[in-house]
């Protein structure tokens, strides 16, 4: 199990099957706010769904396609951060993240992203990372902005949220621009 220390309060630990009950509980508690911009929330309705997600991400890690970490704040599992859409030809990947409601506004997501970005550039030797989010998700947009990502564009009607097409913002950062 891979572990990335972030600071004295935050650690990233690769998700394991035994994390499914706690992770599902965190998701379920924050379901209403998370589902506004994350359509997969509606399909994760029990611990078994969460377990299948973790198992899928472990398989994708073996195949070097993705990796998912639990975000631990003061020893409590409070969310997820991952690298996905890992492209070995372009040495790029996308970052995704979510936090339970009671953990937001504490700098956890920004610090978790910093650690994952550094890991991706230094250890995995990726060249580019992207963050994609719904245009309306102003809260999520603040994280890549604070981390120095550049807005690369808007993909029109590139996602569906609750039956409605929505635009997706793409922001990226290159290894050469990352301040370690």
């Amino acid at each position: 199990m891979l572990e990335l220390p972030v600071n004295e309060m935050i650690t990233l630990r690769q998700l394991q099957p035994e994390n499914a009950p706690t992770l599902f509980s965190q998701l379920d508690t924050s379901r209403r706010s998370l589902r506004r911009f994350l359509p997969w929330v509606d399909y994760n309705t029990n611990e078994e769904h969460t377990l299948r997600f973790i198992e899928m991400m472990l398989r994708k890690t073996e195949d070097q396609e993705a990796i998912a970490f639990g975000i631990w704040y003061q020893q409590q599992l409070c969310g997820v951060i991952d690298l996905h859409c890992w492209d070995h030809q372009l040495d790029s990947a996308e970052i995704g993240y979510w936090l339970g409601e009671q953990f937001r506004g504490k700098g956890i997501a920004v610090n978790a992203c910093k650690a994952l970005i550094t890991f991706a550039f230094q250890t995995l030797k990726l060249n580019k990372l992207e963050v994609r989010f719904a245009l309306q998700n102003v809260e999520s947009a603040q994280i890549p902005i604070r981390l120095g990502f550049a807005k690369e564009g808007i993909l029109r009607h590139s996602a569906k949220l609750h039956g409605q097409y929505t635009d997706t913002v793409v922001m990226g950062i290159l290894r050469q621009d990352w301040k370690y």
Side-chain angles (χ1 to χ4, degrees):
M1 175 181 64
L2 186 57
E3 186 171 306
L4 303 176
V6 177
N7 59 35
E8 63 281 348
M9 306 282 268
I10 305 166
T11 302
L12 306 182
R13 291 189 194 115
Q14 191 174 10
L15 287 170
Q16 299 298 307
E18 60 269 19
N19 300 136
T22 305
L23 188 61
F24 175 74
S25 177
Q26 192 61 250
L27 167 67
D28 205 38
T29 301
S30 302
R31 181 173 302 280
R32 188 169 174 208
S33 65
L34 289 172
R35 78 176 295 275
R36 288 183 55 217
F37 300 113
L38 301 173
W40 57 263
V41 170
D42 287 345
Y43 306 106
N44 192 324
T45 59
N46 58 51
E47 285 181 23
E48 181 64 27
H49 294 148
T50 302
L51 176 61
R52 279 189 256 158
F53 164 75
I54 292 170
E55 291 172 341
M56 175 191 70
M57 292 304 281
L58 287 169
R59 284 190 305 275
K60 287 186 174 206
T61 300
E62 286 179 19
D63 295 336
Q64 292 188 325
E65 296 174 355
I67 187 167
F69 293 93
I71 303 171
W72 298 81
Y73 176 73
Q74 296 181 335
Q75 303 301 319
Q76 188 174 0
L77 181 57
C78 66
V80 172
I81 188 165
D82 69 51
L83 289 174
H84 56 275
C85 297
W86 193 347
D87 184 322
H88 291 276
Q89 187 172 6
L90 294 175
D91 296 322
S92 66
E94 291 180 30
I95 298 175
Y97 46 84
W98 66 266
L99 287 175
E101 285 180 21
Q102 70 270 32
F103 297 98
R104 296 178 198 157
K106 300 177 186 304
I108 298 169
V110 168
N111 284 300
C113 282
K114 283 180 186 177
L116 186 60
I117 293 165
T118 299
F119 170 75
F121 287 149
Q122 287 186 338
T123 304
L124 302 178
K125 303 300 184 201
L126 295 181
N127 182 58
K128 182 180 181 183
L129 295 170
E130 292 181 352
V131 174
R132 296 175 182 229
F133 51 89
L135 181 63
Q136 309 91 320
N137 193 347
V138 178
E139 183 179 314
S140 191
Q142 298 309 307
I143 294 167
I145 289 169
R146 285 184 59 191
L147 294 172
F149 281 63
K151 184 175 178 181
E152 297 190 343
I154 297 175
L155 305 174
R156 299 181 319 146
H157 285 202
S158 58
K160 250 188 177 178
L161 284 174
H162 317 298
Q164 299 295 313
Y165 292 106
T166 188
D167 297 345
T168 302
V169 177
V170 180
M171 297 188 75
I173 193 162
L174 302 176
R175 181 181 354 171
Q176 68 193 30
D177 298 328
W178 180 243
K179 311 289 189 266
Y180 293 98

